[in-house]
Amino acid sequence: MGICCSAQPVDNVIYDDYVKTLPKMTGKVVAITGCTTGTGKVLAKVCASLGAKVVMLNRASERADDALMLVKDSARASGAPAPVLVPCDLMSFKSVKEAGAQLVKDFGAEGIDVLCNNAGIMAFKDKATEDGCDVQMQTNHLSHFLLTQICMPLLEKAASLRGEARVVNHSSALRLGLVDKGFVNDLQAKYFEKNGGNLGGDTTDMMSGPNFQRYQQTKLANLVFTHALHDRLQKKGSKVKALCAHPGVATTQLFNGTIKEGGYQEMPVFLQNVMQMMMMQSEADGAVGIIRQTCDPAAKSNDFFGPLGKGGATGDHDTSEYRGEVGLLKEEPLANAAAREMLWAKSEESTGVQFVV
């Protein structure tokens, strides 16, 4: 999760020392969704500074152009190949397919070493995309499922050439909501189906209500997708890894999008400052999870990494995961075999593809 930046910056605690431990990524290609701001942009800059060619999958915008220039500066300084921007609107399956076709065209020979499915929106209104799906589920999971299916031959190509490749998904501390606030945390099929605009309506309640219930389902889906993909890759004997991270609660622009779309009322700056002081970590510290899963040779398939809190698998929302010591979390019981099979079947159904690993 993230929240809008306030007047008081939050200092890095983990990031600065951690990135110094990472090896060079010269010769690798890293594709990242949602990297105009926030943790995705931090990751893009880190990968470029380590020598990788970075592919930025963003909606065409001035922010996307600005982010591209920033990552170009990092690449130039390290001697890495210049990053490229591939337009990709995750609210449109048509756009995702076009982006995927561009990746296949541009990287068919060398492959893609890492696909980081980072982009996300939070607590948007109950409305449908042009494809009929919930805007949050399509942006946060379904389009990433489709993009991964398209990119799988590119990932396998990279793995055959350079020994491994990775799919990195980005979950959240809100993969489980507070049970005493009415969250039903089990993964539910209706949120994957073409039910956009008919999934509970809207409120502006913070961390509760249907807007956040829909968000919770997408973030649990990111984790369940990781485990389901890992199962299939292992069965095949693939060298492609499936990994997941969560950022805790960081000072990103995620919450600004929620406010802009009417999912929550704007918060006074003094309250933002109080929240940051009590609950939050820096944007860069929030990116450590996806940086580890993307760049660190120690990362193993099926790993779930981020602020530890109580260690995962608690059955309820854990506020102690918002910041602090990072590490491997226990496997989530709600990401069981039945949830994995349901997610795969419903994701294929809604995206209109057959995803055979």
Side-chain angles (χ1 to χ4, degrees), residues 45 85 116 136 146 176 247 272 305 318:
K45 290 172 63 180
L85 173 64
C116 182
Q136 294 191 77
L146 174 60
L176 298 178
Q272 292 181 38
F305 191 91
D318 179 8

Side-chain angles (χ1 to χ4, degrees), residues 297-340:
K300 297 179 181 178
S301 191
N302 218 35
D303 279 358
F304 181 34
F305 191 91
L308 283 166
K310 297 175 183 177
T314 63
D316 201 353
H317 185 68
D318 179 8
T319 57
S320 64
E321 284 186 6
Y322 288 3
R323 62 181 182 182
E325 181 185 358
V326 295
L328 294 174
L329 289 95
K330 298 173 186 174
E331 192 164 309
E332 173 54 54
L334 291 180
N336 55 33
R340 297 176 197 188

Side-chain angles (χ1 to χ4, degrees), residues 9-22:
V10 176
D11 293 333
N12 296 341
V13 176
I14 305 168
Y15 170 86
D16 297 312
D17 289 335
Y18 179 70
V19 294
K20 293 175 185 176
T21 70
L22 298 171

Side-chain angles (χ1 to χ4, degrees), residues 117-262:
N117 294 320
N118 167 72
I121 58 175
M122 181 174 73
F124 274 37
K125 287 185 175 179
D126 188 6
K127 58 184 180 182
T129 65
E130 64 184 41
D131 301 293
C133 302
D134 172 61
V135 291
Q136 294 191 77
M137 185 59 81
Q138 181 158 337
T139 301
N140 295 1
H141 165 67
L142 289 169
S143 282
H144 284 135
F145 181 92
L146 174 60
L147 183 63
T148 305
Q149 185 263 349
I150 297 168
C151 289
M152 190 53 64
L154 303 178
L155 293 157
E156 292 285 6
K157 180 69 173 181
S160 72
L161 293 173
R162 293 180 286 280
E164 68 152 63
R166 304 180 183 197
V167 176
V168 179
N169 297 316
H170 214 184
S171 186
S172 168
L174 198 59
R175 66 192 179 278
L176 298 178
L178 283 162
V179 174
D180 64 7
K181 284 199 171 185
F183 278 90
V184 179
N185 285 319
D186 300 81
L187 206 60
Q188 299 168 64
K190 66 181 180 181
Y191 292 99
F192 295 84
E193 297 169 348
K194 297 196 173 188
N195 292 323
N198 297 289
L199 290 167
D202 299 302
T203 68
T204 56
D205 297 335
M206 179 61 170
M207 296 288 286
S208 66
N211 300 56
F212 280 93
Q213 175 75 77
R214 293 189 297 274
Y215 179 70
Q216 176 271 326
Q217 287 285 296
T218 73
K219 294 290 102 180
L220 181 58
N222 297 147
L223 183 56
V224 174
F225 176 40
T226 303
H227 294 321
L229 181 58
H230 166 80
D231 293 344
R232 286 162 171 79
L233 291 167
Q234 290 294 298
K235 186 175 181 179
K236 180 185 177 183
S238 174
K239 295 179 181 178
V240 179
K241 300 176 180 179
L243 307 104
C244 195
H246 84 88
V249 178
T251 54
T252 71
Q253 297 295 315
L254 179 66
F255 206 66
N256 282 348
T258 304
I259 292 168
K260 183 179 178 181
E261 292 297 320

